[in-house]
Amino acid sequence: MAHGPSRTFMRVGTFTHRHAWLVVGFWIVVAAVLNVSVPQLETTVSQTSADFLPQSLPANQYLEEMSRDFDAPVSNAVSSVVLINDDGIGADDEAYYKRLVTRLLDSEDVAYVLDFAGHPITREAAASPDGKALTLLVAAEGSVGSTRAHHATQGIRAEIDEADKPADLQTYYTGPTATLADLFTAIDVSLLIITLVSIGLITLILFAVYRRFSTAAVPLISLGIGLAVARPVISFLGGHEWLPVSNFTIAIMTALVLGAVTDYAIFTLSSYQEARRQGLPVGDAVASASGRTAPILVASALTIAAACTSMAFTSIGMFRTAGPPTAIAVLIALAVALTLPPALLSLAGRRGLAEPGPSSEKRWRRRGARIIRHAGAYAAVSLLLLLSCAAILFTHQRNWDESSMFVHANESTLGYDAVYKHFGANAIAPEYLLIRSDHDLRNTADLAALELAADAVSRVDGVRTVRSITRPDGKPLTESAAGYVPGQVGDQLGDASKQLGDARPDLQRLASGVGELTDGADEASARMPELVDGTDQVVSMATGVLDSMESAERFVDAATGGKSDLAGAADELRTGLDRVAPIVRDLRKAADAAQPALDGFDELFGPLLQSRSPASCSADPACATARAAFDQLNKATGGKARRTLNGLRDAAGVPAQASRRVEASMAPLRELLGSLQSLLGQLDGRSPDEIRSDLARLKTGVGELSTGMTRLSDGLHQVQDGTEQLTTLTDKLHDGLRLATDYLSDMSAATSSGAGRGFYLPPEAMENPRFVEGARLLISPDGTTARMMVTWGVNPYGPEALDRVRDLAPAAKAALAETGLKDAEVTNTGLASLSADMDDQLVRDLLVFGLVAIAAVTVVLAVLLRSIVAPLVLVVTVILSFAAVLGLSTLVWQHIIGIPLDWSVAPVSFMALIAVGADYSMLFASRIREESAGRGMMSGMIRGFGSTGSVITTAGVVFAITMFALMSGTTLNLVQIGFTIGLGLLLDILVVRSFLVPATMVLLGDAMWWPNRKPRHASVD
């Protein structure tokens, strides 16, 4: 490729020619031994894959701290089980859900479970609005993207399948961790396809270029041996954890090794055929090819290795596992390329094979001549094209949606679709907002502050719901609204007001009844003196009766000589009365018989016996005469006649009267004796003194009753006055309660929701079931850490969520500024936070390894070209080429297809293009420099075009095809990486190396090689 071949490498070429079979056998044996003794790289990756997320990411650290705060195993591998029944979640589905929760809690693949659906109070947070879906958040063991998390995902899915699922129930394990596991599985499936497609495409290109099997076999065998040796070496280093590996190690390393080994073999084959065209024998041609190409291959491999090694300075797992292993593999490929292709060419040349075909050097020289003539135009057009394509980068969006990277649907993508269908948002990719304090947050003041924070976060654009200790199911606790208690009090006051209004007739009846009672009490009080007097009389009479009874007792006792008492005497008297009654009747009858005689006596002697003559007697002469005669007789007898006759009349009338009186008194006397006997029976043997004591108590009681009645009357008057006042006050209270009810109702309506809802949680609300159930999930056991779960209304993978996620913690912190939690630590973590932090880390990593790669490539070019300007020009053109192709890829994928480029595309493409692209320009510039020595820049340019045009173009196309083979994978990130690198290599070959670099070199002239000496000029061929 260059004049002045390296003598050292010529000696290597001579050795390989002499010991061709030994060299070939050596590499075959090495490849065989390594592949037999060392596990395949895929096996090693499946067992020791490095973590995907850098431990240094703030969101990753917060996620692990959250696990520790809630006494759960440390895990950032969060995903969810989604259960779907299009007929609605039924009893069988609920039973399966419970079995599944139990199995997962007992599984060694599960770190912890957040069971919202299993609790009636928090069920709404995990159940879809249509009642057809449930979610169960499950954190797997291991770190996201690690081997442990990948195996845990498989174990969790096995538990889901083995839990005796109902036939009509669909289940999906989906979410960030499951998505990455499915992505890596898809990459695993893609790797074999990509390798086979790469080899097939390379074979077709080589046969198309060389049209001979023996010639095409040289690079094909070289790439096969190179890959067979490099893979087990990387597997060995990765298996002993001396080198981080992952699926991306296999994909990126395989593609670059295939391309590099093939290119190196093509360079050696081209130099060998050039030497054969010059008539050199096979051995000399092999030595010449080794001496001329080996320095270039070493520089190229070092360039690629330097670019790849620069990724060791990054933090993202994909870069750390793709860069250094690829650098080592490329160096192994270099060792193969320096010895195996020369040995194969020696064996083929000895048999007359691998001979050169017609040369295309003249055609490429003519292109060089055209560029020299119009260098300015070509440079301007090339720059305009590249800058125009690069300008598209201003619209570039990095795609962090790993769920959109699948070519074919899988369990995680189907799960996402089901969640969007039934929940209307990605409910299984929440963001966690963490508030840490130095004291227990379970008090009204701090809970009020947490509600302020939750409300502030809920107002951030893109946020759909916020679940916190104050709103465990995404809705604020009704009891916590400042208007809740006034509303409750208002309702109770309203009820009381209604009851007062309804009770007013009863109060009026009460007042009327109290008035009547007061009047009755007054009347009773007025009559009490009479009762007292009557009682005194009764007591006096009773006392007299008792005295008479005592006298009667003494009389009976004396009369009977102590042989009878009053009761006995009463019995005897009553018996005697019964005996005397007939006699009295007989006497009365005799008296009645004598009455006519008495009446005649009264008629005859009545007028005579009176002291004065009655008028009727004076008017009757006979009576008057008789009266006069009787008066003479009476006078003569000294008044004895009248007295004697009157005495006889009185004596004759007494028996009749007496008998009647006796007979009339018999019945009362008998009743009296009966009453006396009854009274004596009621006394029941009590003495008169005992009865007098009872009478005294009666008298005292009546006196006290009189006093009490007076007091009762006074009290009832007061009650009457109070009742009248109560009625009046009740009317006023009714009116006041009605006003208070209206006020509190209006206040409750204004403060139960919206901006004025406020927060107040009474102590009894701490026992509220919703609060208790929510506390288990949303506040740490020691109460010092509160967790809020933020559900996005936008795609949590999308750019809007990544922009807004940075507003969550500041919004919460601002809401806490004037509360007791103003000094609390506020952080957030979750899918969007991790993606945002990864995006920041990506920029830092790209900046770090980009600068290191550019510096390393520049140094290698400077050493090879012995110049400062030339390396800078070549590196700038490569960077411009990278920007242009990334712009074109953005145009195709983001604006035409509608899928933004995966975040991994830019850094991986940069690593490949900065190394490989610089190689081609370096090879071209190096050949021009050497051709220019003694001939001048113009001659060197034309000759350089002629000698390198075909081989560099062939190598570039082969490398591009190798990269395009990545598009046969089943994940779009590999497809996009393959498309971008492949397109970049074609752009570099067809525009940068073919037009921009040579045109720039012509314009710069000898300044291109500053500060080295100018080459001597000579005539142009």
Side-chain angles (χ1 to χ4, degrees), residues 351-373:
R351 292 162 177 78
L353 303 176
E355 291 302 309
S359 175
S360 60
E361 185 172 347
K362 292 183 178 180
R363 184 175 72 252
W364 285 100
R365 287 190 177 191
R366 287 195 293 270
R367 177 178 293 184
R370 287 198 300 270
I371 292 176
I372 291 174
R373 298 190 192 100

Side-chain angles (χ1 to χ4, degrees), residues 318-665:
M318 174 183 175
F319 303 152
R320 290 187 298 106
T321 59
T326 301
I328 294 175
V330 168
L331 293 178
I332 294 173
L334 173 64
V336 173
L338 290 175
T339 56
L340 184 59
L344 293 174
L345 288 172
S346 177
L347 295 176
R350 294 171 187 176
R351 292 162 177 78
L353 303 176
E355 291 302 309
S359 175
S360 60
E361 185 172 347
K362 292 183 178 180
R363 184 175 72 252
W364 285 100
R365 287 190 177 191
R366 287 195 293 270
R367 177 178 293 184
R370 287 198 300 270
I371 292 176
I372 291 174
R373 298 190 192 100
H374 309 287
Y378 279 115
V381 172
S382 300
L383 283 174
L384 180 61
L385 174 63
L386 295 178
L387 291 174
S388 299
C389 294
I392 303 175
L393 285 179
F394 288 106
T395 65
H396 175 72
Q397 293 180 357
R398 287 184 290 274
N399 186 0
W400 289 92
D401 189 355
E402 302 297 345
S403 66
S404 67
M405 291 293 106
F406 297 96
V407 175
H408 306 293
N410 54 50
E411 183 169 346
S412 61
T413 59
L414 292 175
Y416 279 127
D417 293 340
V419 169
Y420 276 108
K421 175 182 178 181
H422 294 283
F423 287 87
N426 195 334
I428 59 172
E431 187 73 15
Y432 299 98
L433 185 76
L434 303 173
I435 299 177
R436 294 184 179 88
S437 179
D438 57 358
H439 61 273
D440 196 325
L441 300 172
R442 290 168 292 194
N443 59 79
T444 297
D446 288 340
L447 291 175
L450 292 177
E451 173 58 20
L452 288 176
D455 182 67
V457 172
S458 69
R459 298 176 186 277
V460 174
D461 290 343
V463 172
R464 184 175 185 181
T465 58
V466 177
R467 303 185 191 115
S468 72
I469 188 62
T470 59
R471 45 177 76 189
D473 56 0
K475 301 175 182 177
L477 287 169
T478 305
E479 298 83 351
S480 70
Y484 175 78
V485 173
Q488 294 294 306
V489 174
D491 293 341
Q492 295 177 7
L493 290 179
D495 293 340
S497 175
K498 183 178 183 302
Q499 292 176 4
L500 286 177
D502 296 341
R504 194 175 189 285
D506 296 332
L507 285 175
Q508 291 175 336
R509 287 194 295 272
L510 174 62
S512 177
V514 169
E516 294 177 359
L517 180 60
T518 301
D519 293 341
D522 289 341
E523 185 177 353
S525 179
R527 299 294 298 273
M528 283 305 296
E530 298 178 8
L531 176 61
V532 172
D533 293 340
T535 302
D536 290 342
Q537 293 176 6
V538 169
V539 171
S540 297
M541 292 174 62
T543 302
V545 171
L546 291 173
D547 294 341
S548 298
M549 288 179 61
E550 289 181 335
S551 298
E553 285 281 357
R554 289 193 295 272
F555 173 78
V556 171
D557 184 70
T560 61
K563 295 180 180 180
S564 179
D565 55 9
L566 183 60
D571 290 339
E572 292 178 359
L573 284 175
R574 189 166 186 176
T575 302
L577 284 175
D578 291 338
R579 292 174 181 175
V580 170
I583 299 174
V584 172
R585 284 195 298 270
D586 291 342
L587 288 174
R588 184 182 58 78
K589 289 179 181 180
D592 291 340
Q595 186 64 38
L598 290 174
D599 293 340
F601 180 84
D602 289 338
E603 183 179 359
L604 178 62
F605 289 102
L608 301 180
L609 295 178
Q610 297 181 12
S611 59
R612 291 181 181 182
S613 176
S616 59
C617 184
S618 298
D620 186 359
C623 183
T625 302
R627 170 129 183 131
F630 184 74
D631 288 339
Q632 290 296 324
L633 178 60
N634 184 52
K635 186 175 180 181
T637 59
K640 294 181 179 178
R642 182 175 276 117
R643 288 196 295 274
T644 300
L645 289 175
N646 284 331
L648 289 173
R649 178 64 184 83
D650 292 337
V654 168
Q657 294 176 357
S659 62
R660 284 195 294 273
R661 290 177 180 172
V662 169
E663 185 177 18
S665 63

Side-chain angles (χ1 to χ4, degrees), residues 567 570-571 574 670-684:
D571 290 339
R574 189 166 186 176
R670 185 178 289 107
E671 292 178 358
L672 177 61
L673 289 174
S675 299
L676 180 60
Q677 288 177 319
S678 176
L679 177 61
L680 291 174
Q682 293 176 358
L683 292 179
D684 195 21

Side-chain angles (χ1 to χ4, degrees), residues 716-796:
L716 286 174
H717 276 289
Q718 295 177 2
V719 171
Q720 184 178 20
D721 294 340
T723 304
E724 292 175 354
Q725 293 178 1
L726 175 62
T727 303
T728 302
L729 291 176
T730 299
D731 292 339
K732 294 181 179 179
L733 178 61
H734 179 267
D735 295 338
L737 288 177
R738 182 169 50 79
L739 291 175
T741 300
D742 294 341
Y743 173 79
L744 291 175
S745 297
D746 293 341
M747 175 184 175
S748 176
T751 59
S752 292
S753 61
R757 91 179 291 275
F759 185 94
Y760 173 72
L761 198 64
E764 59 271 15
M766 298 290 184
E767 305 300 325
N768 182 283
R770 292 174 67 201
F771 183 89
V772 174
E773 294 292 345
R776 295 175 183 173
L777 300 171
L778 298 169
I779 198 165
S780 63
D782 63 2
T784 60
T785 301
R787 171 169 60 188
M788 299 183 186
M789 299 180 66
V790 181
T791 301
W792 293 102
V794 296
N795 182 5

